Amino acid sequence: MSVEKKPPKLSDGHEDPVFEGKGGLEAEAFVRAIRQNVFRAGRQDADRWIAQFAATCFAGDALRWHASLDDDVQNSWKALQRAMFIQYPAPKRRQQIRRESIAAPVPRKGRIRVQIEDVGAVAFVSRSVGRHGQYFTTNNASNALQVECDPADGSKRIRLLNATTEHDWLGISWDETPSNWGLGSPCWAVVVGVIRNNRKSMISTSSRCEGPTKAVTWDISNDGGLVPMWEREDGEQFPLEATMQVSSSKTGTLVLVFDFNSFSSLQDRPYHRARLVFEPL
């Protein structure tokens, strides 16, 4: 006849822990004591068994709280630990210290590098604008537009720091209101500065752009890559590609498009894809 093997004795000369539910510090001490007892018994991988042992150590208000838990929490030590730390959180002072120790995201200042594909040229968005208010590129880093990206700002907008015009944000102005959106659309826009009320940023009344203008959001990848996102009135967002004609000086006006192939196929002169990169100062 087989005899059921008795579980190893946990206390091994040590007093079994008791938890009465007095607060977060007691909860931490209790969890630590259970872990030490279990380790001495060599049962640290027996999740259900540990939970059942811990259940024998609750007393008072903590015993009533434990009895109210769902079975799947009572029968799992991992789940029971999480439930305890939620029910009995850390002291408020320590929580405050922890929050204060987490540094808030620091706004990043930098410039926008333009990497022109197929040509291998590198330029920067210039701090000056053309006669129609659009931004172009420069080879001189000292003339580059300086901007600020704030990771804590949920709007993901880019603030202008040293623009030659009195504008707040980096935005987009469409040549005309897009007739179709997304892939397959040949519509194009230029990069401009806008003020807080999204008024057009043109410094001349002879602007060619007749379409909507506003500050846009910019998705920033881990390597600094920038992708402008245009949000339509219905809330749908469209990523835009950067492109430009390249002069002999390897500079030109930045153009943003939905679909590079659809746009470039209608142009008389060749355009090149470009990649925009945030470069910290």
Side-chain angles (χ1 to χ4, degrees):
M1 184 174 96
S2 62
V3 179
E4 183 179 357
K5 184 179 179 181
K6 295 182 179 180
K9 188 177 181 181
L10 276 179
S11 59
D12 192 24
H14 297 269
E15 185 177 350
D16 288 340
V18 176
F19 181 62
E20 298 179 347
K22 296 178 179 178
L25 291 179
E26 188 196 14
E28 293 172 5
F30 175 74
V31 169
R32 184 170 180 269
I34 291 292
R35 291 180 176 182
Q36 289 175 334
N37 275 273
V38 168
F39 182 79
R40 283 193 291 267
R43 298 298 299 269
Q44 55 265 39
D45 294 327
D47 184 64
R48 181 184 178 89
W49 187 85
I50 300 171
Q52 292 174 342
F53 166 69
T56 68
C57 303
F58 285 88
D61 291 339
L63 178 61
R64 294 179 178 275
W65 169 77
H66 180 271
S68 70
L69 297 174
D70 293 338
D71 289 348
D72 57 345
V73 178
Q74 289 190 18
N75 292 320
S76 169
W77 173 236
K78 293 180 180 178
L80 182 57
Q81 289 180 92
R82 290 193 291 268
M84 288 183 64
F85 287 145
I86 292 173
Q87 180 69 16
Y88 305 99
K92 291 184 178 180
R93 175 57 186 161
R94 196 168 73 198
Q95 291 179 353
Q96 180 181 355
I97 293 174
R98 185 182 299 120
R99 286 193 297 267
E100 291 173 352
S101 67
I102 300 175
V106 178
R108 297 185 297 172
K109 297 180 180 180
R111 55 196 177 193
I112 300 175
R113 188 172 73 246
V114 184
Q115 299 174 181
I116 307 168
E117 298 184 7
D118 303 327
V119 178
V122 175
F124 298 94
V125 175
S126 173
R127 65 188 297 258
S128 303
V129 295
R131 65 188 184 92
H132 297 305
Q134 77 279 15
Y135 280 102
F136 52 92
T137 62
T138 176
N139 292 325
N140 190 342
S142 63
N143 291 333
L145 177 69
Q146 293 182 14
V147 298
E148 182 178 66
C149 301
D150 187 353
D153 181 5
S155 69
K156 295 184 179 180
R157 292 183 297 182
I158 293 181
R159 184 188 301 275
L160 306 178
L161 298 180
N162 68 336
T164 57
T165 58
E166 295 182 357
H167 297 102
D168 303 297
W169 308 101
L170 200 60
I172 291 174
S173 184
W174 290 96
D175 174 56
E176 57 186 21
T177 301
S179 55
N180 58 320
W181 303 77
L183 294 177
S185 172
C187 299
W188 60 273
V190 292
V191 179
V192 297
V194 297
I195 57 177
R196 293 184 185 279
N197 63 4
N198 284 336
R199 191 183 69 197
K200 281 195 173 184
S201 63
M202 303 309 172
I203 59 176
S204 168
T205 56
S206 60
S207 170
R208 291 173 50 199
C209 295
E210 301 294 336
T213 300
K214 68 177 180 180
V216 295
T217 61
W218 299 77
D219 280 354
I220 306 178
S221 62
N222 291 335
D223 64 353
L226 289 171
V227 177
M229 304 291 292
W230 180 269
E231 183 173 343
R232 203 166 53 185
E233 291 184 357
D234 61 5
E236 185 172 0
Q237 291 189 331
F238 298 88
L240 303 177
E241 296 183 79
T243 180
M244 59 182 292
Q245 286 183 344
V246 181
S247 65
S248 57
S249 62
K250 303 295 192 266
T251 61
T253 298
L254 274 176
V255 176
L256 300 176
V257 297
F258 291 118
D259 187 328
F260 173 78
N261 292 328
S262 297
F263 166 78
S264 60
S265 65
L266 300 178
Q267 307 307 310
D268 296 331
R269 296 178 58 187
Y271 274 75
H272 299 269
R273 277 192 171 96
R275 184 170 186 260
L276 306 180
V277 180
F278 178 84
E279 184 177 279
L281 292 175

